[in-house]
Amino acid sequence: MGEGLGFYKEYISGMNAGLATVAVGHPFDTVKVKLQKHNTDVQGSLRYKNGLHCASRILQTEGVKGLYRGATSSFLGMAFESSLMFGIYSQAKLFLRGTLPDDRPRPEIIVPSAMFGGAIISFVLCPTELVKCRMQIQGTDSLVPNFRRYTSPLDCAVQTLKNEGATGIFRGGSATLLRECAGNAVFFTVYEYLRYHIHSRLEGSKLKDGYLVDMGIGVLTGGLGGIACWSAVLPFDVAKTIIQTSPDKATETNPLKVLRSIHKRAGVKGCYAGLGPTIVRAFPANAAAIVAWELSMKLLGIKRD
């Protein structure tokens, strides 16, 4: 589905996908992180009723800027992460396919390619998301004392390294690894199968090669792939948020033990804290990513069947 020559173009296309994802999805992500932090914190007095309540509180007290808190590290991280993810996925799929005809999606190729890409990018995502999450939980309703707040993403990274060392910046690595491996396997499987079946239905039609039709297919396949992905891995993301935003160095870092603890005090609902804004974000953010990726590849001359 991707040509072997000019493979760097797939990395450029992936970078554009990452930028599109943050531009569309970061406000929803901020709401998700705040819900995960406040609504599962054992000592927290503040509880948001739902995602809409959380978003309205942010807009009332901080304005639109509050919804994009931590976006700087997200733009940098997602541009690099998506470049790696889409590039590695495309190249791994090409390698595993070998001489097999590219006539249909093959789960034995898609799943390991996606999981391999997810494992690699988790090492990039972990530190950038730690900074992002710590910036996002600050604000008017923050549980973080004023003297422990960060002035910028760079200040957050520097203070984390100073106070917690190199291992501190990679706190939550296991949860990130689990989320990315499983999540990308689900995402690309749903995306590839939906794309294949929609294009099969359009075979022979005049609509098949139109830009608007391609965008429409990208919106649908990317959006539904995103919803499937986040529905499957949100508990790992909740655990990651708790691990990364805890001020206590001795906090449990095993995601399964963290989830067990959350389940004891908040039930299944606690393990899926932030589900509303996550699902609302998943469709447009992942749709934007796929449209940007496919459009970039088309403009760069990479043919996809």
Side-chain angles (χ1 to χ4, degrees):
M1 290 185 185
E3 296 296 328
L5 297 176
F7 66 89
Y8 68 91
K9 295 179 181 179
E10 291 170 339
Y11 290 88
I12 294 173
S13 300
M15 179 184 70
N16 291 334
L19 295 174
T21 300
V22 178
V24 173
H26 192 81
F28 299 102
D29 189 67
T30 298
V31 173
K32 178 204 74 175
V33 169
K34 280 184 174 284
L35 282 170
Q36 289 175 343
K37 176 63 176 176
H38 287 271
N39 287 20
T40 60
D41 197 293
V42 69
Q43 296 177 331
S45 58
L46 175 69
R47 291 289 186 276
Y48 295 114
K49 297 175 184 176
N50 49 46
L52 188 60
H53 176 223
C54 179
S56 65
R57 280 288 300 168
I58 295 171
L59 289 171
Q60 286 172 11
T61 57
E62 303 174 60
V64 175
K65 184 180 178 181
L67 290 172
Y68 278 91
R69 188 179 291 278
T72 303
S73 61
S74 279
F75 274 114
L76 293 173
M78 281 298 292
F80 187 40
E81 174 264 319
S82 287
S83 176
L84 282 178
M85 182 65 233
F86 283 98
I88 290 171
Y89 171 71
S90 298
Q91 294 302 304
K93 197 170 60 165
L94 196 64
F95 174 77
L96 291 176
R97 192 178 75 221
T99 57
L100 290 173
D102 190 19
D103 56 350
R104 60 182 174 82
R106 299 176 186 274
E108 69 273 19
I109 294 174
I110 295 170
V111 172
S113 298
M115 291 187 73
F116 177 60
I120 298 297
I121 64 168
S122 67
F123 293 100
V124 176
L125 274 178
C126 185
T128 59
E129 289 205 357
L130 180 139
V131 171
K132 172 187 72 69
C133 288
R134 290 188 175 187
M135 292 299 295
Q136 286 175 318
I137 64 168
Q138 296 184 157
T140 305
D141 291 334
S142 179
L143 299 173
V144 182
N146 286 327
F147 71 90
R148 297 194 66 166
R149 296 190 185 187
Y150 307 107
T151 58
S152 67
L154 180 60
D155 178 52
C156 178
V158 170
Q159 291 298 323
T160 300
L161 285 168
K162 181 180 177 181
N163 297 326
E164 302 175 43
T167 55
I169 202 75
F170 282 96
R171 186 195 286 192
S174 297
T176 307
L177 178 66
L178 288 170
R179 186 194 69 181
E180 291 305 308
C181 287
N184 280 293
V186 172
F187 174 78
F188 280 106
T189 299
V190 172
Y191 160 71
E192 294 283 11
Y193 272 92
L194 282 175
R195 185 179 184 277
Y196 170 75
H197 286 295
I198 292 173
H199 276 284
S200 295
R201 292 291 183 91
L202 293 176
E203 195 66 46
S205 169
K206 294 179 181 179
L207 297 173
K208 189 170 186 263
D209 298 317
Y211 272 98
L212 288 177
V213 173
D214 282 347
M215 288 180 65
I217 295 172
V219 167
L220 183 63
T221 56
L224 292 178
I227 288 175
C229 164
W230 282 101
S231 297
V233 302
L234 187 59
F236 291 132
D237 189 64
V238 173
K240 182 189 75 68
T241 297
I242 299 305
I243 293 167
Q244 292 186 326
T245 57
S246 173
D248 186 359
K249 294 180 185 179
T251 297
E252 177 61 63
T253 58
N254 183 318
L256 299 180
K257 290 183 179 179
V258 171
L259 282 173
R260 192 178 301 123
S261 174
I262 293 171
H263 185 267
K264 281 183 180 179
R265 64 175 181 264
V268 174
K269 186 177 180 181
C271 295
Y272 278 88
L275 178 64
T278 298
I279 296 302
V280 171
R281 169 190 177 272
F283 194 97
N286 287 280
I290 289 298
V291 170
W293 181 47
E294 292 187 340
L295 183 59
S296 295
M297 287 198 297
K298 200 165 193 175
L299 292 174
L300 290 170
I302 299 175
K303 184 178 179 296
R304 282 175 60 80
D305 298 326

